[in-house]
Amino acid sequence: MKVFKFGGASLESVERIKQVAQIVQSFPDDKLLIVISAMGKTTNELEKVAQNFYMRKREIAAQLLYNVEQHHIQVAESLLGTRQHPLFQQLQQFFTEAEWTLGEKPLRTYDYYYDQLVGMGELLSTAIVSAFFNTIGLSNTWVDVRDVFRTDDNFRDANIDWAFTQKQVTDKVVPLFNQTSIVIAQGFIGSTDQNESVTLGREGSDYSAAVFANMLDAESQTIWKDVEGLKNADPKLFPNTVNIPEISYGEVIEMAYYGAQVIHPKTIKPLQNKQIPLLVKCFLDKNLPGTVIREQADTKQLPPIIVLKRNQVLLTLTSKDYAFITEDKISDIYETFHRLKVKINLMQNGAITFSCCIDHNPEKIELLIKALHNDFKISYNESLELLTVRYYQDGLLEELSNHHTVLLEQRSNITVQRLLKK
């Protein structure tokens, strides 16, 4: 049993979907559970649908949804050569459900409506890929993962009910391999016990695949990307990146924690629990060695690992009464951040100040200010960048920070983080 995950970049065109099929065809003797993300930039487009709906711009939302629908219909027709296939009824059903949501008044939270609309991208892509595979002889079974992954109702970052989901995987998914050697499921989404769709966090398809790998006791999990393997930095942001042939679970968790987009932060734990190796391979050339992520790896061979998070905000709280910010005050601040689901990326406190770096999210920043303004004077700087370098060298650090003002810095013997302003 192997678990494969194909991301949006591997599905962004008809040609690339055919390339995915060629990769799958090269594993004829394996049982494959394949987790598939939304095609290309579909998630971004559906986010715009959700945003406009929630702002009561229903006509704009409907037009954006129609654009998504037409794109998927065109891709499906190009792959299948006809619109008479039952797939098109299935796609229409998904869009009808989305249209029902757009017909409502947004009386619940934005996160709830986000999950009902944005999670549709994975349903569309998997249905299309499954139908295409079947027409070219790659016999497979399509699964709606919302019937398998049970979660809580923490919309946009739902937590999986492991016991219930394991039973669903054992009872509903494992028997499917008696019918076909390939099972196709969605990443990123699940369902509450009230059958309400949820998402598992942005880029959550990696995590979905890891949950399946754990529960199926898979031999390995492979993430197919449009790069050679895991790089020491984002090649779109930094020149002269190098490939990392091997790295430990722990190092990848650190990279994800600091904001690297390579692997979803929650992906590693389910694999580490059962010592399942994670492979990062290039779908453009499956013969490239890629990267192996496992329990033990030689960190002495690692190059400097660079992570840059853009669109950051420095929030500074200062005691109005000049009282020290002691443990009880910090506890209250933490509780507020936790309640509003705001992640702190970097923090530092002095006698009467508490400074932290967070992602730019105007709605949540406004709520934070309302919650904390009685006790603190609050100021913030926008449009910042958070630079993290592990296994740093001072010369490289200064080069990366050149032409920037350092607003905040934390340094250990391995890692440096700098909050930078141009």
Side-chain angles (χ1 to χ4, degrees), residues 204-221:
S205 293
D206 292 350
Y207 178 53
S208 300
V211 173
F212 271 122
N214 176 289
M215 294 184 175
L216 292 167
D217 292 315
E219 169 191 333
S220 63
Q221 174 182 336

Side-chain angles (χ1 to χ4, degrees), residues 55-109:
M55 292 187 293
R56 299 179 185 264
K57 298 178 180 178
R58 195 164 297 167
E59 289 185 6
I60 296 174
Q63 181 61 52
L64 291 169
L65 182 64
Y66 176 78
N67 295 342
V68 172
E69 178 179 11
Q70 291 306 301
H71 173 70
H72 283 79
I73 287 173
Q74 289 166 10
V75 169
E77 186 175 14
S78 296
L79 289 167
L80 301 178
T82 176
R83 289 199 182 190
Q84 305 309 310
H85 194 283
L87 165 69
F88 291 90
Q89 294 179 350
Q90 186 181 16
L91 297 180
Q92 188 56 57
Q93 182 178 342
F94 294 143
F95 283 107
T96 298
E97 291 174 6
E99 288 163 4
W100 288 342
T101 299
L102 295 187
E104 299 177 15
K105 291 182 178 179
L107 301 177
R108 298 182 63 169
T109 65

Side-chain angles (χ1 to χ4, degrees), residues 332-346:
D332 291 341
I333 294 169
Y334 271 22
E335 192 282 326
T336 303
F337 277 77
H338 174 71
R339 175 167 49 84
L340 297 175
K341 300 178 183 178
V342 179
K343 178 180 178 292
I344 297 175
N345 298 324
L346 182 67

